[in-house]
Amino acid sequence: KTAGGFFIHFGVVETGSITRGNDLSLNVDEQRRDRIRANHSATHLLHAALREGLGDHVQQKGSLVDSQRLRFDFSHYEAIKPEQLRALEDRVNEQIRLNSVVGVEVTDIESAKNKGAMALFGEKYGDQVRVLTMGNGFSVELCGGTHVSRTGDIGLFKITAESGIASGVRRIEAVTGTGALA
């Protein structure tokens, strides 16, 4: 998360205590972080594929990303047919195989909107926003999260479930990389 231009990390002190002025070190589990990056980046490609395949009425309503899987909630009025799910999966994997550079640009909100960047309704944005572009413009969204460097780093995308969670809200669950191969 960011606050006032700083990256905020939350941690747990397992032994001892921390006081102001202590020197601390942070160890990041790179394999876990890479899986999170892949799953998070795949949500952006999925969102673009949903809008392309089902229509512009599709809007993100929520998501969960961790090292094992991704979950993407979105507005849509009916269950997605198996052939539509396959087409969505194929479209995301096509973008992954293109192995395009994932671009990140920090700009003002108006410039981001002019580039066609999708923003979450109701979110508050500061003077500067982070625009993430994937698939040579296939997906352009505001996002401050961690992402792959190239779409090919995602490896593979596999939808594992689709369901309704509320009136007019659907959920897709999926896996990437080695999780998808398994």
Side-chain angles (χ1 to χ4, degrees), residues 76-91:
H76 190 57
Y77 45 83
E78 64 184 2
I80 302 173
K81 297 176 181 76
E83 61 271 16
Q84 290 174 305
L85 286 173
R86 179 59 190 214
L88 289 167
E89 196 174 88
D90 288 347
R91 187 66 168 123

Side-chain angles (χ1 to χ4, degrees), residues 4 6 10 16-17 26 28 30 44 59 64-65 76 82 94-95 105 110-111 122 126 134 136 168 176 178 182:
F6 295 96
F10 296 92
S17 61
L26 170 71
V28 175
E30 286 297 327
H44 289 271
Q59 297 289 327
L64 175 136
V65 176
H76 190 57
E94 177 184 310
Q95 291 299 313
E105 177 186 7
E110 281 307 311
S111 295
M134 300 178 70
N136 299 319
T176 64
T178 55

Side-chain angles (χ1 to χ4, degrees), residues 33-55:
R33 177 65 59 94
D34 286 344
R35 291 190 305 267
I36 291 169
R37 284 184 182 115
N39 286 334
H40 187 182
S41 298
T43 64
H44 289 271
L45 295 178
L46 175 60
H47 191 194
L50 284 162
R51 289 179 57 81
E52 179 184 85
L54 301 179

Side-chain angles (χ1 to χ4, degrees), residues 80-150:
I80 302 173
K81 297 176 181 76
E83 61 271 16
Q84 290 174 305
L85 286 173
R86 179 59 190 214
L88 289 167
E89 196 174 88
D90 288 347
R91 187 66 168 123
V92 171
N93 280 310
E94 177 184 310
Q95 291 299 313
I96 290 169
R97 284 190 310 277
L98 286 175
N99 197 30
S100 63
V101 171
V102 174
V104 176
E105 177 186 7
V106 176
T107 188
D108 61 274
I109 190 75
E110 281 307 311
S111 295
K113 286 179 183 176
N114 290 337
K115 292 176 190 293
M118 293 277 303
L120 292 179
F121 176 75
E123 288 282 318
K124 292 183 178 23
Y125 296 103
D127 294 338
Q128 297 287 294
V129 293
R130 191 166 175 260
V131 180
L132 181 80
T133 303
M134 300 178 70
N136 299 319
F138 178 71
S139 170
V140 182
E141 293 190 55
L142 301 185
C143 187
T146 185
H147 294 280
V148 296
S149 298
R150 302 186 70 90

